[in-house]
Amino acid sequence: MELYAVLLMLAVIVSTETQVVHRDVYYMGCSDTEKEILYGFDGEELYHSDFITKEGVVTAPDFADPVGFPGAYEASVSNIEVCKQNLALDIKVYKSPDEQLAPPDVSIYSKGDVVLGAENTLICHVTGLFPPPVNVSWTKNNQIVTEGMSLSQYRRKNDGTFNIFSSLKITAAEGDVYSCTVFHKALDSRSKTKTWEVDVAVPSVGPAVFCGVGLTLGLLGVAAGTFFLIKGNNCN
């Protein structure tokens, strides 16, 4: 069943010395397996409804002076039911036209600097996909892992495609190889895999060697200059 979404964007112009355009976003989407409602401002998410834990989640950090959304989750439950009814009507009227598919790009990186034996987080960034959903799985040394894995909400981009992040908590050990595999119907092989290896950079000895050689040559130059200066004075 196709994804149905309603997007409301409001542009507000604030007049000061210069004109600044701000964008408020309300996104609602549903399908037979997915449902999503979020509020955003200037490309940043402020709130989303978590239909698994059955609560509203304010995502702006404390220093951003986040606003409240009283009653937003309860309203979301009702709005999703409306979304499903509209979806069923649209499918009947438009007779399920072919979907416009966009395959995702996938990248994987560590959240912090890699230190052997220290806890870290791997992030699998899936971007540019349409439509949701997308499935993400992790492996460690070719073994599937689920413990310590989490998946973000979908984030809508200005071009209508979506981003999503999956993270995996790890303890870095030399030689470990992790992979993130993404499954989406727009991919030619239905999946795409990116790998990440524990690789701790060893500090180069090159700069130290060059500094040592340079200092030694400098001292030799000073010694040689002093020797010839004394010899010259003795000759006089």
Side-chain angles (χ1 to χ4, degrees):
M1 188 177 291
E2 298 179 9
L3 179 76
Y4 169 82
V6 174
L7 178 66
L8 175 64
M9 300 186 66
L10 301 176
V12 180
I13 300 178
V14 180
S15 297
T16 55
E17 294 182 359
T18 59
Q19 287 188 338
V20 180
V21 177
H22 297 283
R23 294 186 183 274
D24 287 323
V25 175
Y26 170 72
Y27 172 78
M28 176 173 65
C30 64
S31 71
D32 55 346
T33 58
E34 301 287 329
K35 45 190 173 183
E36 186 92 52
I37 285 183
L38 65 84
Y39 299 98
F41 181 75
D42 283 354
E44 298 292 337
E45 182 188 310
L46 300 181
Y47 165 93
H48 71 265
S49 293
D50 190 328
F51 294 100
I52 297 176
T53 61
K54 298 182 179 180
E55 62 180 352
V57 180
V58 177
T59 51
D62 291 339
F63 64 79
D65 191 20
V67 297
F69 296 86
Y73 178 76
E74 291 74 14
S76 296
V77 175
S78 300
N79 289 338
I80 287 297
E81 292 305 314
V82 174
C83 179
K84 290 182 178 179
Q85 293 176 18
N86 290 338
L87 175 60
L89 179 61
D90 286 349
I91 291 174
K92 182 177 180 179
V93 171
Y94 295 107
K95 304 185 186 306
S96 297
D98 294 336
E99 288 182 308
Q100 297 296 317
L101 302 179
D105 291 321
V106 183
S107 60
I108 182 172
Y109 52 89
S110 62
K111 182 177 180 180
D113 294 334
V114 180
V115 178
L116 293 179
E119 292 185 353
N120 208 327
T121 300
L122 291 183
I123 297 172
C124 185
H125 183 200
V126 186
T127 182
L129 67 100
F130 188 86
V134 65
N135 293 322
V136 181
S137 65
W138 288 89
T139 65
K140 174 185 177 182
N141 300 328
N142 295 322
Q143 299 296 318
I144 295 176
V145 291
T146 57
E147 185 177 355
M149 173 186 170
S150 63
L151 194 65
S152 74
Q153 301 289 317
Y154 290 101
R155 305 288 188 264
R156 187 182 185 278
K157 299 174 62 178
N158 290 336
D159 62 2
T161 63
F162 291 83
N163 293 343
I164 195 169
F165 295 86
S166 179
S167 62
L168 180 69
K169 294 185 181 299
I170 68 167
T171 299
E174 189 171 0
D176 281 348
V177 179
Y178 293 86
S179 70
C180 169
T181 301
V182 175
F183 301 89
H184 189 263
K185 58 185 176 182
L187 294 169
D188 293 337
S189 60
R190 297 296 181 180
S191 68
K192 179 181 290 187
T193 299
K194 292 290 184 178
T195 60
W196 183 90
E197 299 183 26
V198 176
D199 184 15
V200 180
V202 178
S204 175
V205 298
V209 171
F210 286 126
C211 289
V213 172
L215 179 60
T216 301
L217 292 177
L219 292 175
L220 289 175
V222 171
T226 303
F227 173 78
F228 285 112
L229 180 61
I230 295 173
K231 283 294 186 179
N233 290 336
N234 290 338
C235 291
N236 294 332

